[in-house]
Amino acid sequence: MVFELTPTIRFWLNFAHPVTMWVLLALSLYAAYLGLQVQRTRNAQGEEKKELIKGRYTVKHHQIGSIMLALMVAGSIGGMAVTYINNGKLFVGPHLLAGLGMTGLIAFSASLSPFMQKGANWARITHILLNFAILGLFIWQALSGVEIIQRILTKA
């Protein structure tokens, strides 16, 4: 038995991936802010440090990072699934390849957490560099994704 989706559902599925990714981009900017606050807290002294600790930036950064990892993996797989459902194939190009690269990078970045918690500075620097690379790719992905959505809308 083959499961067939209605044309309306297939059309609206096209927007699940972009909406998820735009939410993820916003979360990425928030995570970057939290990461900067974690760094400020780590470098602060005295009363300033006590005040920054109250913000619980480390906990928030870790929680947002976990959500981001889950959304990135689910969003990437979902985007490919919807493309395949609607077209019978994937379009191998810069948008797909950069997205897969970002998914791998965020997994690698998250895997550094145990080392950072033990104070490994190399892991912290690598984490920061990977995340800024992901953020740069993400901004480009958002723009190229808008072009893809425009193509879908003109075909509709």
Side-chain angles (χ1 to χ4, degrees):
M1 181 172 126
V2 175
F3 181 69
E4 207 44 52
L5 298 173
T6 68
T8 303
I9 291 173
R10 288 172 61 152
F11 175 76
W12 286 106
L13 276 176
N14 285 310
F15 302 101
H17 172 74
V19 168
T20 302
M21 292 297 113
W22 277 95
V23 167
L24 193 51
L25 178 56
L27 283 175
S28 297
L29 294 171
Y30 181 57
Y33 163 78
L34 291 172
L36 292 171
Q37 296 308 311
V38 168
Q39 190 69 25
R40 276 187 62 213
T41 304
R42 187 176 294 107
N43 295 330
Q45 306 264 328
E47 288 302 314
E48 180 188 15
K49 185 165 190 139
K50 288 179 187 176
E51 199 58 38
L52 286 168
I53 288 172
K54 291 178 187 175
R56 300 186 55 197
Y57 297 115
T58 303
V59 172
K60 291 176 185 175
H61 183 71
H62 191 86
Q63 289 170 339
I64 292 295
S66 295
I67 292 167
M68 287 177 57
L69 174 61
L71 281 176
M72 178 76 77
V73 171
S76 296
I77 292 169
M80 290 184 291
V82 168
T83 300
Y84 189 80
I85 287 167
N86 285 334
N87 301 285
K89 64 180 181 176
L90 293 179
F91 299 101
V92 179
H95 188 83
L96 174 65
L97 296 175
L100 289 172
M102 288 168 52
T103 302
L105 289 175
I106 199 168
F108 185 69
S109 180
S111 75
L112 295 171
S113 278
F115 301 102
M116 290 184 289
Q117 289 170 347
K118 291 186 178 182
N121 206 40
W122 66 266
R124 187 169 289 115
I125 292 167
T126 304
H127 177 80
I128 292 167
L129 291 172
L130 286 171
N131 289 342
F132 275 107
I134 292 166
L135 192 55
L137 282 169
F138 218 149
I139 291 167
W140 178 82
Q141 284 288 90
L143 298 175
S144 67
V146 168
E147 291 173 6
I148 293 168
I149 289 296
Q150 288 173 335
R151 282 196 304 261
I152 290 168
L153 289 173
T154 56
K155 284 173 32 177

